[in-house]
Amino acid sequence: MQNYIRKMPGKQYLERMEKDPLVIIPTGACEVYGPHLPMGTDLLVAKRIAELVAEETDALIAPTIEAGESSALASFPCTFAMPRKILEDYLDYILGKVLKDGAKKILFITGHAGNVDTVNYLSKKYMEQYDFKMAQVDWWRFATVHNKGICQYEGYMCNGHASECGTSVMLYLFPELVDEAGETCVDPHTSSEFSDFITLGKFTDKTYNGTVGDATVATREKGEKIVEACLARILKFIKAYYK
């Protein structure tokens, strides 16, 4: 059965909405992702996870937006650092539209950390107007929790940008889009004496090639185990939460 809203006739969409489905809204980004991963990695993964969830739950997948709030990586010229207002306006419309059409179960699969706050803000805003349940999977932070015992490293060496975890997931989901991993890049800020403070800086101060951590130890097998562990957890949550 078709799960993408954009691929179904309007009549079918309205009929499916009458059955009170889970509606998944994936988001991602288009930004530097090391020398070996595509710039759209965050969205590619979010959409594929949405598809895997939809296959098991008959959920609908809402229209997505190709870029995200990537200002943190704007120091790399290849990053599409879309203004937050555009992301907010787009997601405001999509969320408002599916709620108006009767959706009562919303799941954001957020492939990019920069989008998380916007998703939370808009969801809280609409809770004053509609009666619905909402949850958000902050994908790479979620994967961090569920890749224990799978990856060789922990911390940023595993979960840093375009590192072991992310590269392994891409090797499993989209191997044809992965080039040979670049050399390891160590974030000089990870051992700061003042880690209890929020500081801002350019991403180019952390890495010259867009990778933070070690992507050279990534494997397809690790990626498969990470995706399977995360998918099982998401499906368990959906069954318990969206009753």
Side-chain angles (χ1 to χ4, degrees):
M1 183 179 290
Q2 183 55 251
N3 298 106
Y4 276 102
I5 289 174
R6 69 173 181 272
K7 292 184 178 182
M8 60 183 64
K11 180 181 178 181
Q12 182 183 347
Y13 164 68
L14 295 175
E15 289 173 350
R16 293 278 294 277
M17 288 297 282
E18 288 180 357
K19 297 178 181 179
D20 190 27
L22 174 66
V23 177
I24 303 174
I25 305 177
T27 77
C30 186
E31 63 188 24
V32 63
Y33 233 93
H36 59 293
L37 295 181
M39 292 161 60
T41 289
D42 285 341
L43 182 59
L44 288 166
V45 172
K47 287 173 66 176
R48 184 59 187 139
I49 298 302
E51 292 168 357
L52 293 173
V53 172
E55 288 171 8
E56 298 292 332
T57 63
D58 201 24
L60 298 181
I61 303 175
T64 60
I65 187 169
E66 291 289 322
E69 202 292 277
S70 295
S71 58
L73 291 93
S75 52
F76 284 91
C78 56
T79 293
F80 286 69
M82 186 174 67
R84 178 171 176 167
K85 177 172 173 42
I86 297 177
L87 173 70
E88 184 176 320
D89 286 348
Y90 180 90
L91 292 180
D92 194 336
Y93 173 77
I94 293 295
L95 180 56
K97 172 60 178 170
V98 296
L99 290 172
K100 182 179 179 181
D101 288 347
K104 295 186 179 300
K105 304 170 185 175
I106 305 291
L107 177 64
F108 283 90
I109 298 183
T110 305
H112 176 65
N115 301 344
V116 170
D117 287 346
T118 300
V119 168
N120 286 338
Y121 166 75
L122 292 172
S123 298
K124 287 183 283 188
K125 167 188 168 181
Y126 277 105
M127 283 179 179
E128 297 299 320
Q129 186 177 351
Y130 293 96
D131 179 21
F132 68 100
K133 282 191 171 183
M134 171 272 180
Q136 177 173 198
V137 175
D138 179 4
W139 171 255
W140 296 116
R141 268 50 58 191
F142 187 80
T144 297
V145 176
H146 299 290
N147 65 21
K148 298 288 191 299
I150 298 174
C151 293
Q152 176 175 326
Y153 292 109
E154 293 184 356
Y156 76 90
M157 288 293 285
C158 170
N159 301 300
H161 201 250
S163 193
E164 180 184 8
C165 175
T167 304
S168 294
V169 168
M170 284 295 288
L171 282 170
Y172 172 56
L173 296 179
F174 301 99
E176 72 280 7
L177 299 180
V178 181
D179 291 335
E180 184 176 353
E183 62 186 281
T184 300
C185 283
V186 178
D187 179 359
H189 301 283
T190 53
S191 59
S192 171
E193 178 186 354
F194 299 103
S195 59
D196 48 337
F197 288 83
I198 297 173
T199 60
L200 299 178
K202 294 182 178 180
F203 206 72
T204 44
D205 293 336
K206 297 183 179 183
T207 167
Y208 71 93
N209 67 1
T211 300
V212 175
D214 189 355
T216 64
V217 297
T219 67
R220 181 191 183 282
E221 291 71 26
K222 292 175 184 176
E224 182 175 9
K225 290 178 180 179
I226 292 167
V227 170
E228 288 181 348
C230 290
L231 182 60
R233 182 63 174 170
I234 293 170
L235 293 174
K236 183 176 181 180
F237 171 80
I238 288 171
K239 186 176 181 180
Y241 184 68
Y242 296 104
K243 295 180 179 179

